[in-house]
């Protein structure tokens, strides 16, 4: 069975579920919160979400049954087109398998894996996953563009890491050698004219000493 | 290109940095890493980071009770954003709280905030692992370090810095958005600080073991022309008005 994903894009706020999920507790949990459609030929994937995000569901029964679920995961993993999240039922019964399952899925295959206690929890999680795909990038606090800051306070601090150089000397040095690069190239003679012999020597040693 | 230290790929020894605060919050993690997993652990102050397991990956260890609490939302966001500035890869380990003797185990109430936070983290490429104990966390840290080592990103430089290099380390650490391992790489691979300050972007990327983008940031900083007028007036030395 090949991994078939419809080429149609899933619109925001929608999800496509494999036909086998019709009537399930998980599907019940999704009604009214997102638009759910069923499709016969979703292949090995359980749910397809917006932005090519796919959800695979590993039930307690799958885990207890043995390693067959792993083959399915490997095949999906090899389809590099898909971004996948594996939802795993972590129950009293499947608990003993959890550490090695996590190691296999998250560490060896490098796939995202999230545990749930049951189908109802899985539904809540899928709702949030759908919402996180729908929101604009700016509303995800971890995708916000980094605010740029002026470098001046940092540079002043960096120069003061040179032994013998305090804030006053640092400001003075930066007047004559306005970048770290330029300061690093200054000769002892050039430095002497600005900060005196002793400190000039210390600065030169700091930059040129082989460590 | 000369380097002052001969660096050999030690394929058997994994190396992890741990923040000194983990000694009190996760003592079993560190001792388990050392004893059970034979990982070299260097404990030092890591500036807002719990563990560093490779040249490019930070691991944040969070107790489940803390992670689940929506009052901690801003603190968590700030912390992760800080790590995003410093590291290419981030992994979050959510660890079950230890049950104190006499306590009954907490019922974990899962709710929208938790799922929403997990979704946002995943959408941003942050990996999430789940642990039920400090010992298990140690095992996960070791596995992460191992995966990174296989990808040639393991920490191979010495993690201690002898007296005569300490000032160079502090200098490198003061560069914005540089993590502790990057500073160590610079310390041990550049033979002089002058060499570092006169390196090309490509050389910085190679010596510091950072991405091209990060190397460009560092290069720009080193070549940035200082304008004292850009300082907030309070920070300029001299008498207050």
């Amino acid at each position: 069975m090949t991994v078939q994903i419809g080429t149609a894009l899933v619109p925001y706020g929608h999800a496509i579920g494999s036909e086998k999920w019709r009537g399930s507790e998980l599907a019940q949990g999704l009604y009214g919160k997102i638009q759910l459609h069923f499709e016969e030929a979703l292949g090995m994937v359980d749910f397809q979400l917006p932005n090519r995000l796919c959800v695979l569901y590993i039930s307690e029964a799958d885990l207890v049954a043995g390693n067959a679920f792993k083959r399915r995961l490997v095949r999906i993993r090899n389809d590099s087109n898909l971004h996948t999240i594996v939802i795993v039922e972590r129950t009293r019964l499947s608990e003993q398998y959890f550490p090695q399952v996590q190691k296999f899925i998250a560490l060896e295959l490098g796939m995202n894996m999230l545990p749930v206690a049951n189908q109802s929890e899985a539904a809540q999680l899928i709702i949030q996953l759908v919402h996180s795909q729908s929101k604009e990038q700016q509303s995800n606090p971890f995708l916000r563009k980094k605010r740029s800051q002026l470098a001046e306070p940092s540079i002043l601090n960096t120069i003061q890491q040179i032994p013998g150089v305090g804030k006053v000397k640092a400001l003075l040095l930066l007047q004559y050698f306005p970048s770290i690069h330029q300061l690093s190239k200054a000769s002892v003679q050039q430095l002497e004219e600005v900060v005196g012999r002793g400190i000039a020597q210390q600065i030169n040693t700091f930059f040129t000493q082989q460590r | 290109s000369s380097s002052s230290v001969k660096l050999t790929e030690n394929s058997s020894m994994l190396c992890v940095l741990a923040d000194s605060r983990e000694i009190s919050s996760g003592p079993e993690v560190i001792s388990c890493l050392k004893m059970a997993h034979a990982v070299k652990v260097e404990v030092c102050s890591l500036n807002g980071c719990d563990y560093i397991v490779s040249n490019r990956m930070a691991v944040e260890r969070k107790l489940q009770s803390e992670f689940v609490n929506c009052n901690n939302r801003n603190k968590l966001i700030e912390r992760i954003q800080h790590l995003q500035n410093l590291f290419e890869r981030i992994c979050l380990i959510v660890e079950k709280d230890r049950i104190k003797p006499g306590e009954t185990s907490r019922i974990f109430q899962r709710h929208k905030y938790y799922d929403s936070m997990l979704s946002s983290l995943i959408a941003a490429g942050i990996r999430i692992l789940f642990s039920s104990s400090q010992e298990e966390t140690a095992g996960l840290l070791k596995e992460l370090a191992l995966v990174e080592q296989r990808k040639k990103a393991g920490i191979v430089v010495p993690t201690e810095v002898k007296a005569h290099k300490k000032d160079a380390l502090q200098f490198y650490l003061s560069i914005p958005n540089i993590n502790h391992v990057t500073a160590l790489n610079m310390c041990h691979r550049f033979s002089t600080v002058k060499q570092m300050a006169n390196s090309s972007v490509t050389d910085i990327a190679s010596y510091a073991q950072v991405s091209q983008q990060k190397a460009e940031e560092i290069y720009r900083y080193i070549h940035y022309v200082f304008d004292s007028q850009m300082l907030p007036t309070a920070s300029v030395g001299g008498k207050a008005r």
Side-chain angles (χ1 to χ4, degrees):
Chain A
M1 202 201 230
T2 50
V3 178
Q4 285 175 59
I5 297 302
T7 48
L9 295 172
V10 180
Y12 290 138
H14 294 239
I16 304 176
S18 165
E19 185 63 45
K20 75 182 217 207
W21 288 101
R22 194 187 287 277
S24 66
E25 194 190 336
L26 203 164
Q28 301 276 46
L30 296 176
Y31 285 137
K33 304 287 174 53
I34 60 166
Q35 298 266 50
L36 179 64
H37 316 269
F38 291 107
E39 203 175 285
E40 189 69 60
L42 218 50
M44 291 180 150
V45 164
D46 288 295
F47 292 91
Q48 193 182 354
L49 271 46
N51 292 334
R52 303 202 75 101
L53 180 61
C54 295
V55 172
L56 305 178
Y57 193 88
I58 310 289
S59 68
E60 173 193 80
D62 292 327
L63 290 169
V64 169
N67 288 328
F69 73 91
K70 292 187 180 178
R71 264 171 257 136
R72 185 180 156 217
L73 290 180
V74 171
R75 289 184 64 179
I76 290 170
R77 178 75 180 95
N78 291 337
D79 185 338
S80 57
N81 238 357
L82 304 174
H83 179 208
T84 333
I85 293 183
V86 184
I87 295 182
V88 174
E89 263 184 18
R90 184 176 192 177
T91 63
R92 292 240 309 265
L93 204 57
S94 68
E95 177 66 32
Q96 59 176 305
Y97 305 106
F98 188 79
Q100 44 143 304
V101 167
Q102 176 170 244
K103 184 173 165 186
F104 176 74
I105 299 177
L107 294 168
E108 287 176 37
L109 295 184
M111 294 169 98
N112 294 301
M113 193 207 73
L114 294 176
V116 296
N118 50 49
Q119 286 195 22
S120 162
E121 278 195 5
Q124 298 311 306
L125 179 56
I126 290 176
I127 291 166
Q128 290 309 316
L129 288 170
V130 170
H131 287 335
S132 75
Q133 298 305 308
S134 307
K135 288 177 193 162
E136 291 166 15
Q137 276 213 344
Q138 285 299 97
S139 73
N140 182 336
F142 309 114
L143 287 174
R144 278 186 208 137
K145 200 167 145 58
K146 193 172 70 172
R147 277 195 329 225
S148 47
Q149 290 177 317
L150 285 173
E152 271 76 9
S154 298
I155 291 185
L156 187 59
N157 177 45
T158 297
I159 300 294
Q160 287 179 74
Q161 302 309 311
I162 302 171
V165 178
K167 186 181 275 179
V168 174
K169 291 278 187 302
L171 283 166
L172 200 53
L173 286 163
L174 285 165
Q175 261 180 35
Y176 291 88
F177 313 101
S179 71
I180 294 169
H181 169 73
Q182 288 188 48
L183 184 63
S184 76
K185 293 199 304 184
S187 67
V188 181
Q189 291 78 13
Q190 289 173 307
L191 290 167
E192 254 177 37
E193 285 165 28
V194 180
V195 287
R197 178 165 299 176
I199 300 198
Q201 201 59 60
Q202 278 189 286
I203 296 171
N204 185 253
T205 303
F206 172 80
F207 277 111
T208 60
Q209 181 179 67
Q210 297 254 352
R211 290 173 168 85
Chain B
S1 55
S2 65
S3 71
S4 51
V5 170
K6 183 152 195 284
L7 301 165
T8 48
E9 190 80 48
N10 189 341
S11 56
S12 55
M13 191 72 163
L14 291 173
C15 177
V16 160
L17 299 180
D19 185 67
S20 7
R21 289 205 263 178
E22 285 295 294
I23 295 177
S24 48
S25 80
E28 297 301 315
V29 180
I30 294 176
S31 77
C32 198
L33 271 173
K34 288 180 176 173
M35 302 301 167
H37 300 290
V39 172
K40 173 169 185 280
V41 183
E42 177 76 27
V43 180
C44 55
S45 177
L46 289 182
N47 180 31
C49 164
D50 290 336
Y51 296 92
I52 306 179
V53 297
S54 75
N55 286 325
R56 59 190 185 179
M57 186 187 277
V59 178
E60 177 72 6
R61 172 177 165 258
K62 270 271 171 293
L63 289 178
Q64 188 177 72
S65 58
E66 228 190 294
F67 182 73
V68 152
N69 187 349
C70 54
N71 292 324
N72 294 327
R73 181 177 187 269
N74 288 335
K75 201 173 99 179
L76 176 68
I77 290 173
E78 223 179 273
R79 180 85 170 188
I80 299 287
Q81 285 177 338
H82 170 71
L83 292 174
Q84 284 177 308
N85 287 335
L86 268 57
F87 295 92
E88 264 179 75
R89 296 186 184 202
I90 301 165
C91 179
L92 171 68
I93 296 181
V94 180
E95 185 186 290
K96 219 159 112 185
D97 295 65
R98 190 179 264 184
I99 303 166
K100 301 195 182 92
E103 256 183 23
T104 48
S105 88
R106 247 177 261 242
I107 310 281
F108 170 47
Q109 296 271 23
R110 188 185 194 124
H111 43 59
K112 197 170 139 189
Y113 165 75
Y114 179 77
D115 287 334
S116 151
M117 193 51 71
L118 289 174
S119 303
S120 297
L121 288 164
I122 286 185
I126 292 154
R127 299 131 162 260
I128 306 170
L129 294 174
F130 296 85
S131 164
S132 17
S133 67
Q134 290 192 26
E135 289 77 9
E136 210 183 310
T137 296
L140 290 172
L141 284 167
K142 179 240 170 171
E143 292 299 327
L144 287 166
L146 194 56
V147 168
E148 284 292 281
Q149 190 188 60
R150 286 200 198 114
K151 295 182 182 172
K152 309 265 185 250
I155 300 170
V156 296
V157 289
T159 52
E160 309 93 36
V161 170
K162 304 252 164 52
H164 61 284
K165 271 202 226 238
K166 277 193 159 67
D167 53 6
L169 179 66
Q170 290 312 312
F171 184 85
Y172 294 135
L173 282 172
S174 73
I175 299 173
N177 301 328
I178 284 280
N179 68 56
H180 198 97
V181 173
T182 306
L184 284 173
N185 278 321
M186 288 172 151
C187 245
H188 291 296
R189 292 173 199 250
F190 286 112
S191 52
T192 65
V193 180
K194 183 174 177 178
Q195 185 198 2
M196 184 266 153
N198 287 271
S199 290
S200 64
V201 173
T202 314
D203 280 345
I204 292 175
S206 159
Y207 281 66
Q209 295 283 289
V210 290
S211 66
Q212 184 79 5
Q213 186 183 7
K214 182 63 77 177
E216 278 170 14
E217 257 182 67
I218 296 170
Y219 182 91
R220 275 200 295 272
Y221 182 77
I222 298 295
H223 289 260
Y224 186 91
V225 176
F226 185 88
D227 179 357
S228 60
Q229 301 218 358
M230 293 296 144
L231 287 172
T233 39
S235 84
V236 176
K239 295 200 291 257
R241 262 196 235 173

